[in-house]
Amino acid sequence: MVDVDDAVILAGGRGTRMLPGSNYVPKEIMPLVDTPIINHLIWEACKASVKRIHIVISPIKRDILTKIFSDNNKHGNNSIRPDLPRIALEPIPEGVEIIIHEQIEPGGVGDAILLATKEIRGPFLVLLGDNLLINEHVDPKKSGPKFASNSSKKLVDYYNRNGKPCAGILEVSDKEVHKYGIVRLDDDLIKDIVEKPDIKDAPSNFILCGRYLLPSNSGELLNIYPSSEYGELQSIVFFNHLINNEGFGSVKMNEFVLYDSGDPINWLKSQVDHALRRDDLNTDFRRWIADRLSR
């Protein structure tokens, strides 16, 4: 068994589809009702037993995000919301190190991963900063790794069983296929990735859903396929290298709900869906929606 001690959260995107809101609140810290996305991602990574979390940010987000992570004790006084566990307000668990990497120019997913690999030894997790995979819809009283998504842990478990890098995949409807990278599968191995195909050209209905476990030599491989040459496709070329050499496994995540803060309509749907699934909110919220729709 190999320890996976590092996770990389990619939070460098410009968030242009969420403008003007993302001018003031980076999409990675927008709240899902009342808990910021980044909190969920940190706790998910910690549930997979990582010790270091690398967060790749853009210069425009530097001041906001570094302040959040350098001021983890701002609510140390238990008189502030004493009904909540402290980890709901101070999301970094004890013993976990947060490392900030600044991506000066937007260079895509591959370039962002490459930045973090300079301080990583061994296999590591990657989580897209605007994608949540949730299977328990809880309120802030159940904050922290104990109640977090185990989607990243599933990748670590796969790696320890098979010794191969892997990606989380999720099945979507025909009408959603054109929005995502679609995989062709041979049992649990990914054999090809097709970017945003029409349904007639799609090799399956399984999408890459923003969770990866990558090998220790990822930095070396990404340098072979530089973003200066491959641009936004750098990560796909890198994944294809894994497919054709080490092998690239898949881990099905169909028990999870995918929430995406990348654009207004998806994030609005995510808020509504999460609220309807939460025990503390659903009764009043359902009643309000029914009343509103009846007018």
Side-chain angles (χ1 to χ4, degrees):
M1 180 176 291
V2 177
D3 290 334
V4 179
D5 292 330
D6 294 85
V8 180
I9 298 176
L10 303 182
R14 291 175 172 173
T16 54
R17 289 180 294 170
M18 291 296 284
L19 288 171
S22 55
N23 268 340
Y24 304 93
V25 182
K27 60 182 179 176
E28 296 83 8
I29 62 171
M30 289 182 176
L32 181 63
V33 180
D34 45 16
T35 299
I37 296 173
I38 196 75
N39 291 24
H40 287 286
L41 295 175
I42 288 170
W43 298 333
E44 177 188 324
C46 291
K47 192 164 189 172
S49 300
V50 306
K51 298 180 176 64
R52 293 175 294 275
I53 298 177
H54 305 255
I55 303 178
V56 182
I57 61 174
S58 63
I60 199 170
K61 300 176 185 179
R62 179 183 56 204
D63 292 342
I64 297 172
L65 289 173
T66 52
K67 185 177 189 304
I68 289 172
F69 298 121
S70 64
D71 193 15
N72 197 40
N73 295 310
K74 58 183 174 293
H75 295 301
N77 187 337
N78 287 340
S79 66
I80 298 172
R81 288 299 303 270
D83 58 312
L84 295 179
R86 289 304 87 186
I87 199 164
L89 305 177
E90 299 153 15
I92 305 167
E94 187 175 353
V96 174
E97 182 182 3
I98 299 292
I99 303 166
I100 301 296
H101 304 267
E102 190 172 343
Q103 187 179 26
I104 302 300
E105 296 291 338
V109 168
D111 183 67
I113 294 171
L114 179 59
L115 276 177
T117 61
K118 297 171 184 177
E119 295 188 35
I120 295 174
R121 301 292 180 269
F124 59 97
L125 290 161
V126 175
L127 299 83
L128 295 192
D130 55 4
N131 279 16
L132 293 180
L133 289 168
I134 291 180
N135 58 346
E136 288 195 53
H137 300 263
V138 296
D139 65 77
K141 293 179 181 178
K142 294 183 177 179
S143 294
K146 178 180 177 181
F147 301 100
S149 167
N150 69 337
S151 54
S152 285
K153 184 178 184 301
K154 287 185 67 173
L155 297 182
V156 174
D157 291 344
Y158 178 94
Y159 182 84
N160 280 318
R161 287 195 309 271
N162 299 283
K164 294 183 185 299
C166 54
I169 62 171
L170 182 71
E171 192 170 19
V172 301
S173 67
D174 287 356
K175 65 182 180 181
E176 294 181 290
V177 161
H178 72 281
K179 302 177 185 177
Y180 300 99
I182 305 296
V183 299
R184 178 170 64 84
L185 298 171
D186 181 4
D187 291 328
D188 66 339
L189 291 180
I190 296 172
K191 291 298 185 180
D192 194 15
I193 301 169
V194 182
E195 275 295 292
K196 300 181 180 180
D198 292 333
I199 184 58
K200 62 181 176 59
D201 300 317
S204 75
N205 282 57
F206 282 99
I207 69 170
L208 294 171
C209 58
R211 296 293 183 277
Y212 308 97
L213 196 157
L214 300 178
S216 57
N217 65 340
S218 293
E220 299 168 27
L221 295 176
L222 285 163
N223 276 319
I224 295 172
Y225 309 108
S227 61
S228 59
E229 182 176 350
Y230 293 96
E232 294 285 339
L233 294 178
Q234 180 189 23
S235 59
I236 299 300
V237 176
F238 165 54
F239 293 154
N240 281 328
H241 179 102
L242 297 180
I243 289 168
N244 295 322
N245 292 274
E246 292 91 337
F248 199 27
S250 68
V251 178
K252 291 180 179 176
M253 301 286 183
N254 284 343
E255 70 269 36
F256 297 93
V257 178
L258 174 63
Y259 292 149
D260 180 356
S261 68
D263 66 80
I265 189 64
N266 276 333
W267 192 230
L268 178 59
K269 290 176 180 178
S270 299
Q271 301 280 359
V272 171
D273 186 74
H274 181 59
L276 289 173
R277 294 171 187 255
R278 271 178 48 170
D279 290 343
D280 63 321
L281 299 176
N282 70 71
T283 300
D284 287 348
F285 193 44
R286 285 178 188 276
R287 187 180 298 121
W288 180 83
I289 289 177
D291 178 66
R292 185 67 184 86
L293 293 176
S294 69
R295 296 181 186 180

